[in-house]
Amino acid sequence: MAKKLSRRSFLKQSAAFLLSLFGLAGGGYSYARFIEPKRLEITELDIAHELIPRAFHNKRIVQFSDTHLGFQYTLKQLEEHAQKIQSLRPDLIFFTGDLLDRPDNYELAEIRNVIATLEKLEAPLGKFAVYGNHDHGGYGTDLYASIMKKSGFQLLKNSSVELRHLQETIHLLGVDDASLGQPSLSQAKKSARAGQYLVLLSHAPDLAKDAAEAGIHLQLSGHSHGGQIQLPWYGALYTPPYAEIYKEGEYQVDGNTALTLYVNRGLGTTRLPFRFLSVPEITVFTLKSKQG
């Protein structure tokens, strides 16, 4: 019987294959190790829907995800990306999980600097976050909650908040991580009212089918890193559990509602310090009302 590869072994073998394929003993290795992980792509999408109120027309959501501070991603990069996020004029800022790669290995002084950086982010309609699997791992559950609270982010864990502007509303929901938490869409949705536009933050993209059945209109996720390593004409060599169906970019998922899902490739790396054909990403969504 063939031995089942662990995630780490699979990634190492995949990386070795890719590095040899593209001659990474030379420039290819340097690109995947040192250049692409430090690149940044700003992806901009319009999100139109008949339930988006006129008051939210042209409101801008900026999503960032999967920084994995402490593995390869540095505080300096976070500071640079925070400045970039602010320059995008966000009305709302969403962080979709995996702040620290190993919370148990992160120093207190460094945590203070992380808080100081995230605290500078400003958005008139609010800053919100959800748990990723690394936020729970390494005894990080309470630490992550503390960091986000001190940074001015509202952490949504199977809960929701009504976002109000000029007496009109949309409803924002957030669920716990699917790998190490206990996500509950029903609990998160219980305060939503009929006829509201529903936005879901879920670190894990593969909850999208359940979200569509639950009547969600827009889901924003991370977790996949776009695979970190992709092959031309093939795509991601590997994505983790709960990011195996929806790996990166925009999808339309049918259910009780037509759900738009966007899977952000994240900013950092984990397991292996490489990115190839999977450039780090910040996404900007501009809401478009169809109510005239």
Side-chain angles (χ1 to χ4, degrees), residues 163-191:
L163 302 178
R164 182 175 295 273
H165 181 62
L166 300 178
Q167 305 306 310
E168 293 187 297
T169 64
I170 62 176
H171 211 83
L172 176 65
L173 303 82
V175 292
D176 200 1
D177 174 65
S179 300
L180 297 180
Q182 295 181 320
S184 173
L185 274 167
S186 60
Q187 185 176 339
K189 191 189 172 189
K190 64 183 180 182
S191 297

Side-chain angles (χ1 to χ4, degrees), residues 6-194:
S6 69
R7 179 187 182 193
R8 184 182 297 272
S9 296
F10 181 86
L11 286 171
K12 285 183 176 178
Q13 290 187 21
S14 298
F17 169 74
L18 180 69
L19 304 189
S20 60
L21 182 65
F22 286 93
L24 294 188
Y29 175 90
S30 296
Y31 174 79
R33 175 69 175 85
F34 300 110
I35 297 176
E36 184 163 309
K38 292 181 173 58
R39 290 182 60 200
L40 178 66
E41 181 175 310
I42 306 298
T43 304
E44 300 200 28
L45 296 95
D46 289 346
I47 303 293
H49 198 279
E50 58 271 13
L51 291 180
I52 295 175
R54 282 175 292 183
F56 283 83
H57 184 68
N58 285 333
K59 294 302 177 188
R60 290 164 65 84
I61 297 168
V62 176
Q63 177 200 11
F64 69 114
S65 194
D66 295 271
T67 50
H68 288 271
L69 277 154
F71 179 70
Q72 180 188 44
Y73 188 84
T74 66
L75 180 64
K76 184 176 185 295
Q77 286 176 283
L78 180 65
E79 291 168 345
E80 292 171 351
H81 288 148
Q83 291 175 9
K84 184 62 179 180
I85 288 168
Q86 208 59 63
S87 75
L88 295 170
R89 299 175 288 107
D91 296 292
L92 287 156
I93 297 174
F94 297 155
F95 178 68
T96 43
D98 281 1
L99 180 67
L100 308 178
D101 194 67
R102 288 286 304 274
D104 52 340
N105 286 350
Y106 218 74
E107 298 293 334
L108 182 60
E110 295 175 308
I111 288 170
R112 293 194 187 103
N113 291 331
V114 172
I115 293 169
T117 301
L118 294 177
E119 195 175 22
K120 293 175 185 176
L121 291 172
E122 296 181 351
L125 296 182
K127 306 188 298 185
F128 301 88
V130 289
Y131 278 99
N133 52 306
H134 283 255
D135 303 316
H136 280 308
Y139 304 99
T141 302
D142 293 338
L143 174 62
Y144 178 68
S146 175
I147 290 172
M148 300 317 285
K149 181 178 180 180
K150 290 176 180 177
S151 301
F153 280 76
Q154 183 171 342
L155 182 58
L156 300 175
K157 183 182 178 183
N158 299 329
S159 59
S160 66
V161 60
E162 191 171 70
L163 302 178
R164 182 175 295 273
H165 181 62
L166 300 178
Q167 305 306 310
E168 293 187 297
T169 64
I170 62 176
H171 211 83
L172 176 65
L173 303 82
V175 292
D176 200 1
D177 174 65
S179 300
L180 297 180
Q182 295 181 320
S184 173
L185 274 167
S186 60
Q187 185 176 339
K189 191 189 172 189
K190 64 183 180 182
S191 297
R193 293 184 284 111

Side-chain angles (χ1 to χ4, degrees), residues 273-289:
F274 300 107
R275 276 187 182 264
F276 191 82
L277 302 181
S278 185
V279 176
E281 176 181 36
I282 291 171
T283 40
V284 183
F285 306 92
T286 302
L287 299 179
K288 298 292 184 179
S289 174

Side-chain angles (χ1 to χ4, degrees), residues 220-251:
L220 305 182
S221 297
H223 188 45
S224 73
H225 298 213
Q228 282 190 195
I229 297 171
Q230 297 193 25
L231 290 179
W233 307 291
Y234 180 82
L237 289 174
Y238 175 88
T239 53
Y242 300 103
E244 296 169 310
I245 302 171
Y246 306 108
K247 298 180 180 181
E248 67 164 322
E250 185 178 5
Y251 300 87

